[in-house]
Structure formats: structure tokens, C-alpha cells
């Protein structure tokens, strides 16, 4: 469809929360924040934070230690992320496969001045014929990552996690594939902290004292070297589903 000679998606724009608070640019309903602002509406001031990544076991555990005295009232110590299962849905959104994931410890694949990258591999899918790869980057200084045609700017101490699946035996070309994640957080007392979706957007937030930890879910996917959009569905209790429709083409 077109609108006066323009593709339909350029005729209508989705509003951004709080118009990005005047600290960013609205792009398709999502805020692209200026470098000194963050959060879903670009209203949050990032606090310098030291990140330590534990890769000896799953879930992926990211330890948080602020280097700013302003966060003295924060009780958060770590943020964890697990890949629980891979789910195949048919075109009626009925779940037809749900395969639990068991991964091995991560190994260092690259360690340079800009980042350290770890990787773990696992077999999955019906009959264990599919390959699951989880890559984890920890940035030592500002840098960029290429993901398909997307160039993602990464800040110092930022951590990026990506999941890829190959050779999944779809039961139908019209089916979509979903990855079920579990996010969790721990406090200094040893108790768990709540993890919720920020207004059902592509952000996760963990409140901690007067401060909060934000994690951004990048709605990017690459299928057969072509850019796709990943859709996120919040399941509650720290669980969220990232799903992609795999359109077969030649």
C-alpha cells in the first residue's frame, strides 16, 4: 500500500513516550537517546557502572558495581539472563514445539582493546538437529557492532547478548519461531529483585532503591542474511518471548 506515492509506513508515525523528553529522536515509536541520556523516554541519566560478566555457567550473570557515590542507596548486585526454550508456533499462534535449552559454559572467542566476546553452543530442536549459538560481548570502551545492516553503538561497560539458531526443521513455511528468556535480579541481601517491562515496551527495568537498572531489547533479527524485526511479548515474572516470522524466499 502507498499513501500519495509514499510507502504506507512513512505516512504514519508512532508516538514516542514523552516525545523522548527532548533528549532524543523518535524513530518508529522508539527513542534514540543522546549519548548522555538513556531509558525508554530518554529521561534517565546513566550512572557510571562497573560490569563483571560471569560466564562459567548459565544463566548469564552480570554483576553491577556502581563507581558513583550517587548510587549508594542502590541494593542491586547482579542481573541474570537465561534462554529457557525454543518454541515453534503455527500460523494460528498455537504452540507446536517447545524445546528446553541446556547450554555449556562460555569460552572466550575474542579479546581486544575494545571488547571481550564469549560464545557457547548447544544442540536443540526436534531430534537435536538444530544449532543454538549464544554470543556475549562486554565492551571495555565505546565501540560499534554490525548486526545485519544495523550498526549498533555500544557504550563503555555495555554488555550485548545475541542468540542465533540454524537448521530448525519447521513443520510449515508459515510458522514462526520464538525464544523464551528469563530475566532475574539479585539484591545485596541475597533476595530477588523484581524485573518488569517498562510500559510493555522493548525495555526491561529492575528497580533498586532510588535507582533502576535498564536493559534494552533490540528489535533486530537477521534471517538468511536479510534484516527482520523481532517482536517481544512480555510474559510476566521476568519472562519474555522474542519471536520472528521466517519468510521463505529464493
Amino acid at each position: 500500500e502507498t499513501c500519495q506515492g509514499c510507502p504506507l509506513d512513512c505516512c504514519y508515525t508512532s508516538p514516542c513516550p514523552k516525545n523522548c523528553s527532548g533528549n532524543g529522536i523518535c524513530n518508529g515509536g522508539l527513542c534514540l537517546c543522546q549519548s548522555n541520556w538513556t531509558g525508554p523516554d530518554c529521561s534517565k541519566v546513566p550512572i557510571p557502572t562497573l560490569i563483571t560478566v560471569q560466564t562459567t555457567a548459565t544463566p548469564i550473570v552480570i554483576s553491577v558495581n556502581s563507581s558513583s557515590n550517587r548510587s549508594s542507596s542502590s541494593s542491586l548486585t547482579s542481573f541474570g539472563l537465561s534462554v529457557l526454550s525454543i518454541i515453534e508456533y503455527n500460523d494460528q499462534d498455537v504452540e507446536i514445539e517447545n524445546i528446553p535449552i541446556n547450554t555449556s559454559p562460555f569460552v572466550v572467542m575474542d579479546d581486544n582493546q575494545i571488547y571481550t566476546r564469549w560464545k557457547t553452543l548447544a544442540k536443540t530442536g526436534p531430534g537435536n538437529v538444530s544449532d543454538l549459538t549464544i554470543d556475549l560481548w562486554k565492551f571495555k570502551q565505546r565501540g560499534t557492532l554490525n548486526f545485519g545492516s544495523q550498526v549498533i553503538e555500544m557504550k563503555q561497560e555495555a554488555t550485548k547478548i545475541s542468540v542465533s539458531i540454524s537448521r530448525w526443521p519447521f513443520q510449515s513455511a508459515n510458522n514462526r519461531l520464538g525464544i523464551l528468556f528469563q530475566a532475574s535480579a539479585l539484591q545485596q541481601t541475597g533476595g530477588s529483585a523484581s524485573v518488569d517491562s517498562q510500559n510493555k515496551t522493548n525495555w526491561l527495568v529492575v528497580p533498586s532503591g532510588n535507582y533502576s537498572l535498564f536493559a534494552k531489547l533490540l528489535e533486530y533479527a537477521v534471517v538468511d542474511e536479510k534484516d527482520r524485526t523481532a517482536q517481544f511479548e512480555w510474559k510476566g515474572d521476568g519472562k519474555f518471548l522474542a519471536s520472528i516470522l521466517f519468510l521463505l524466499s529464493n
Side-chain angles (χ1 to χ4, degrees), residues 134-189:
I134 303 177
D135 285 283
L136 173 63
W137 288 264
K138 160 65 171 19
F139 275 74
K140 306 171 187 176
Q141 56 181 287
R142 295 177 68 92
T144 57
L145 278 177
N146 293 324
F147 190 75
S149 65
Q150 304 288 336
V151 179
I152 304 171
E153 181 179 344
M154 303 296 292
K155 299 178 181 179
Q156 184 178 2
E157 295 294 325
T159 303
K160 179 180 180 295
I161 301 166
S162 68
V163 180
S164 62
I165 302 169
S166 61
R167 299 190 298 179
W168 184 274
F170 283 98
Q171 296 189 27
S172 169
N174 296 320
N175 291 356
R176 66 183 174 97
L177 205 60
I179 306 172
L180 184 64
F181 294 88
Q182 171 79 64
S184 59
L186 290 178
Q187 299 177 340
Q188 293 176 356
T189 58

Side-chain angles (χ1 to χ4, degrees), residues 98-213:
N98 190 326
I99 309 295
I101 297 299
N102 294 305
T103 57
S104 57
F106 286 77
V107 296
V108 176
M109 301 300 295
D110 195 2
D111 191 8
N112 54 51
Q113 292 181 339
I114 299 177
Y115 61 79
T116 302
R117 179 173 70 94
W118 297 265
K119 175 179 286 190
T120 184
L121 305 172
K123 284 292 185 180
T124 186
N128 278 340
V129 299
S130 305
D131 296 315
L132 172 76
T133 304
I134 303 177
D135 285 283
L136 173 63
W137 288 264
K138 160 65 171 19
F139 275 74
K140 306 171 187 176
Q141 56 181 287
R142 295 177 68 92
T144 57
L145 278 177
N146 293 324
F147 190 75
S149 65
Q150 304 288 336
V151 179
I152 304 171
E153 181 179 344
M154 303 296 292
K155 299 178 181 179
Q156 184 178 2
E157 295 294 325
T159 303
K160 179 180 180 295
I161 301 166
S162 68
V163 180
S164 62
I165 302 169
S166 61
R167 299 190 298 179
W168 184 274
F170 283 98
Q171 296 189 27
S172 169
N174 296 320
N175 291 356
R176 66 183 174 97
L177 205 60
I179 306 172
L180 184 64
F181 294 88
Q182 171 79 64
S184 59
L186 290 178
Q187 299 177 340
Q188 293 176 356
T189 58
S192 61
S194 64
V195 181
D196 201 354
S197 174
Q198 182 72 16
N199 299 323
K200 310 305 177 189
T201 63
N202 64 324
W203 286 80
L204 299 180
V205 60
V206 184
S208 179
N210 295 332
Y211 301 90
S212 297
L213 173 69

Side-chain angles (χ1 to χ4, degrees), residues 11-12 27 33 49 179 194 246:
C11 303
Y12 306 96
N27 182 18
C33 302
T49 304
I179 306 172
S194 64
F246 288 75

Side-chain angles (χ1 to χ4, degrees), residues 21-90:
S21 305
N23 301 318
I25 299 174
C26 185
N27 182 18
L30 300 177
C31 288
L32 303 178
C33 302
Q34 298 172 6
S35 59
N36 55 336
W37 295 94
T38 189
D41 57 6
C42 299
S43 66
K44 309 300 181 182
V45 179
I47 297 172
T49 304
L50 301 178
I51 299 292
T52 304
V53 180
Q54 174 186 314
T55 58
T56 55
T58 55
I60 300 165
V61 177
I62 302 170
S63 298
V64 180
N65 179 22
S66 174
S67 59
S68 170
N69 292 331
R70 290 180 299 168
S71 65
S72 58
S73 62
S74 175
S75 60
L76 185 67
T77 59
S78 65
F79 175 81
L81 186 68
S82 300
V83 180
L84 297 183
S85 62
I86 310 298
I87 306 172
E88 182 178 350
Y89 296 89
N90 65 16

